[in-house]
Amino acid sequence: MPIPRYTLADSTPITTDNLDATATWEATSTLPTGNGPIRLRFHLSAGDLYAYAIT
């Protein structure tokens, strides 16, 4: 079940080939806390994801 305000429709697309790109959702770039584990889903269009990091 998607977390409200953290859906694909709420996200800002990353359209660059960049190692320092930050995922954002409308008004935030932080992940929700306090709800236990979360599952990430990546939607790619004509691209490849080689790695990601959560810091």
Side-chain angles (χ1 to χ4, degrees):
M1 171 176 252
I3 300 170
R5 298 188 328 258
Y6 289 91
T7 66
L8 177 61
D10 298 320
S11 67
T12 304
I14 298 172
T15 58
T16 63
D17 185 5
N18 189 335
L19 296 175
D20 293 324
T22 300
T24 59
W25 297 266
E26 289 191 359
T28 187
S29 62
T30 60
L31 293 173
T33 60
N35 297 328
I38 62 170
R39 184 181 311 169
L40 301 177
R41 179 178 293 172
F42 297 94
H43 293 265
L44 304 175
S45 175
D48 296 307
L49 176 65
Y50 292 101
Y52 70 94
I54 299 174
T55 58

